[in-house]
Amino acid sequence: MTHDSLPAGLDAPLRDGLAELGLSTALASPLLAYLALLVRWNGTYNLTAVRDPRQMVTRHLLDSLAMHRFVSEGTLADLGTGPGLPGIPLAIAHPRLQVTLVESNGKKARFLREAVRQLGLTNASVAESRAETLDRPGAFDRLTARALDTLAGIVEVGGHLLKPDGLLLAMKGVMPHAEIAALPAGWRLVEATPLTVPGQDGERHLVTVGRA
């Protein structure tokens, strides 16, 4: 798939960001192919409020990949993935990671299926469903949710999907002390890891939650 429709000059900051994250710069090509598809569909389907492809490189691609070292293999359910964030960039970066993109919005799910097809992502699939009604109990090693809900809310709708020793990996901004304190009985904070997103200021944390 071509990404000629994108503005010039996106390749260099993406490659620099990939290198900073410890990822191969060869990933830039498939990531830009995904970005070109997202930009094209976004004009009609309003998949993301971020319109500038330059901002998308940092705020979507590199932000999603900031957590890549925590999900290199196994099974991952990306809850409320929207246009595939962070699930599609993670699937591109880690071929041994089996990603299920969970999205209830029909337009976004159609985009996801087309993106998986055009990008040839044999390790990604789409579940057009709300997280709480997805009938795959105990199926996943990891859950992620980039901007879905509070920690307690994510556990409520998606906790049943995790294996007994599975982990929720929630991407947050500043350290969410109040959300951690409000975790329901039977769940606990495993760790909270500061993340560095190339080209992006402000705090970012990966909050890991497991069963008590």
Side-chain angles (χ1 to χ4, degrees):
M1 178 183 169
T2 180
H3 44 78
D4 295 340
S5 59
L6 293 173
L10 297 186
D11 189 71
L14 178 56
R15 287 178 177 272
D16 289 345
L18 289 169
E20 188 174 334
L21 291 172
L23 288 164
S24 170
T25 57
L27 295 173
S29 183
L31 287 167
L32 288 175
Y34 163 62
L35 189 63
L37 191 63
L38 176 56
V39 169
R40 188 156 61 249
W41 278 60
N42 200 41
T44 303
Y45 283 81
N46 195 29
L47 301 172
T48 169
V50 181
R51 297 285 179 178
D52 183 351
R54 296 173 183 82
Q55 292 185 23
M56 287 181 177
V57 167
T58 299
R59 295 174 61 182
H60 285 343
L61 300 182
L62 296 176
D63 185 77
S64 294
L65 291 170
M67 64 177 289
H68 81 92
R69 60 191 175 93
F70 296 88
V71 289
S72 58
E73 58 186 2
T75 53
L76 172 73
D78 182 15
L79 307 184
T81 187
L85 300 164
I88 288 180
L90 291 173
I92 290 171
H94 293 306
R96 292 193 299 173
L97 179 67
Q98 295 295 320
V99 179
T100 299
L101 304 161
V102 183
E103 177 55 53
S104 62
N105 181 282
K107 290 181 179 180
K108 292 177 180 177
R110 282 194 291 276
F111 167 75
L112 292 169
R113 286 190 287 268
E114 183 65 9
V116 167
R117 185 187 70 81
Q118 289 207 29
L119 296 169
L121 291 177
T122 58
N123 62 327
S125 61
V126 181
E128 188 174 342
S129 170
R130 296 179 64 85
E132 59 266 37
T133 59
L134 187 60
D135 188 20
R136 300 190 196 177
F140 297 96
D141 299 303
R142 301 287 186 269
L143 300 182
T144 191
R146 189 162 171 258
L148 180 65
D149 202 343
T150 63
L151 294 173
I154 298 168
V155 165
E156 181 179 357
V157 301
H160 70 286
L161 301 170
L162 276 177
K163 295 178 179 179
D165 60 346
L167 297 172
L168 162 64
L169 305 174
M171 299 186 75
K172 298 288 182 178
V174 298
M175 185 67 176
H177 296 288
E179 291 186 33
I180 292 168
L183 280 169
W187 297 85
R188 66 181 178 90
L189 173 69
V190 175
E191 64 178 337
T193 308
L195 297 177
T196 299
V197 180
Q200 185 170 298
D201 296 325
E203 293 186 52
R204 204 75 165 111
H205 288 85
L206 186 68
V207 180
T208 304
V209 172
R211 290 185 173 87

